[in-house]
């Protein structure tokens, strides 16, 4: 089955073609970074309007550049939430309507499930069950994955998500938007031993996270340093101290989660999983020291993209899951509400 995947939950318009036997066939992304940069963050209404402008031409380009046409599609998957509701609605309305017009099945995909499954797209997937660390702009969660739609939350952030903390501290360091990747790049030049920031909630048992206090600790340090915090080398040293604190915290909790779930495989997913220091630390602490295996997607498939939506949608579509004609989107949507495809089918047929 050839599935068109559509991602419009935030500030990237992503479209992709995934084939159940041939794998990923095409993947295109239009980033709205330039549009939002002057405002220092994502402006939801501008995001929705830009998705409307870009989605159709991007789909046409995707099909044409892969010598496919609409008649080749066997299904359409679109992000149905969680995300900015106006932005999600653009992709959902377009995807559901196009599928209806073509007489093919459609499926609304959970954005975080799509992130979670992205690392399984290539290479050899880990055996079940495994532990997933989901680290994005809106979520930080440790999940025990026993199958498609079988998710047990082991721990999560009680306040800011890791990506959100990266973005906020980047702003405090005057690195602008999008902050996370800029902070990570600057941190490469920083001295890891110059400043030490707290590793929140690691001094007590448990798998929850809190990144809001770490952000405040970074703010206090920046205020203390004054102008030094916005110049070389101070700016890079603070960036490095912050990145070290996040990476250390995530690594400590991942180790605990693997032990608690009695698993040997960790899947790392979401925008922050593109962070090279995080990957290296997990490899060092979990791989080299514990003999665990870490799995992650190529950086371009860690941040928002259409490929992960096409892939997640394809897994559920080939299992027989179908979306009714109603277009359902959710700004908030706990992943624990998801069910395996067979159970979802029964629920759908009752509606
Ligand atoms: O998964 P994603 O693209 O969108 C959401 O679903 O939220 O994640 C975006 C988040 C942002 O907070 C961004 O700053 C962060 O991922 N991010 C990074 C890196 N690349 C993206 N954070 C740290 N290091 C990176 N290299
Ligand atoms: Zn995302």
């Amino acid at each position: 089955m050839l599935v068109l995947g559509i991602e419009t939950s935030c500030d990237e318009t992503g479209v992709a073609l995934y084939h159940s036997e041939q794998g990923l066939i095409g993947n295109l992304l239009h980033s709205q970074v330039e549009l939002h940069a002057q405002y220092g963050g994502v402006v939801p209404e501008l995001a929705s309007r830009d998705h409307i402008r870009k989605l159709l031409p991007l789909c046409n380009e995707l099909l044409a550049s892969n010598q496919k046409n609409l008649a080749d599609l066997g299904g359409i998957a679109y992000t149905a939430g969680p995300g900015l509701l106006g932005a999600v609605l653009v992709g959902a309305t377009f995807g559901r309507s196009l599928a209806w017009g073509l007489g093919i099945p459609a499926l609304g995909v959970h954005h975080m499930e799509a992130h979670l499954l992205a690392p399984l797209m290539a290479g050899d997937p880990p055996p079940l069950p495994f532990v997933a660390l989901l680290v994005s702009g809106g979520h930080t969660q440790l999940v025990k994955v026993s199958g498609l739609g079988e998710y047990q939350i082991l721990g999560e952030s009680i306040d800011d998500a890791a990506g959100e903390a990266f973005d906020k501290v980047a702003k405090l360091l005057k690195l602008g938007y999008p902050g996370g990747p800029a902070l990570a790049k600057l941190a490469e030049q920083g001295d890891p031993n110059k400043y030490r920031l707290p590793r929140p909630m690691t001094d007590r048992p448990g798998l929850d996270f809190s990144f809001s206090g770490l952000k405040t600790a970074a703010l206090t340090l920046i205020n203390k340093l004054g102008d030094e915090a916005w110049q070389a080398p101070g700016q890079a040293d603070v960036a490095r101290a912050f990145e070290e604190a996040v990476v250390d915290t995530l690594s400590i909790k991942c180790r605990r989660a693997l032990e608690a779930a009695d698993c040997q495989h960790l899947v790392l997913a979401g925008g922050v999983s593109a962070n090279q220091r995080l990957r290296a630390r997990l490899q060092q602490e979990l791989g080299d020291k514990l003999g665990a295996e870490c799995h992650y997607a190529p950086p371009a498939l860690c941040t928002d993209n259409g490929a992960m939506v096409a892939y997640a949608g394809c897994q559920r579509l080939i299992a027989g899951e179908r979306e009714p004609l109603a277009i359902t989107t959710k700004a908030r949507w706990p992943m624990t509400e998801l069910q395996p495809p067979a159970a979802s089918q029964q629920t759908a047929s009752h509606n």
Side-chain angles (χ1 to χ4, degrees), residues 7 9-12 82 111-112 115 135-139 161-167 178-185 243 269-276 299 302-305 308:
E7 158 60 31
S9 71
C10 192
D11 55 352
E12 324 264 11
H111 182 80
M112 294 314 293
H115 271 304
V135 265
S136 71
H139 293 75
E164 189 181 355
F166 261 97
D167 295 336
L183 190 151
K185 192 161 189 301
E243 188 182 49
V272 182
S273 70
N275 186 282
Q276 295 301 324
C302 291
T303 44
D304 290 348
N305 64 85
M308 66 182 194

Side-chain angles (χ1 to χ4, degrees), residues 78-140:
Y78 47 85
T79 298
L84 302 172
L85 202 53
V88 172
L89 265 170
V90 175
T93 311
F94 175 85
R96 187 66 196 88
S97 310
L98 180 59
W100 180 72
L102 295 171
I104 57 173
L107 200 69
V109 167
H110 191 292
H111 182 80
M112 294 314 293
E113 180 177 64
H115 271 304
L116 191 162
L117 298 177
L120 315 189
M121 219 182 304
D124 54 343
L128 292 164
F130 59 80
V131 170
L133 172 68
L134 296 180
V135 265
S136 71
H139 293 75
T140 302

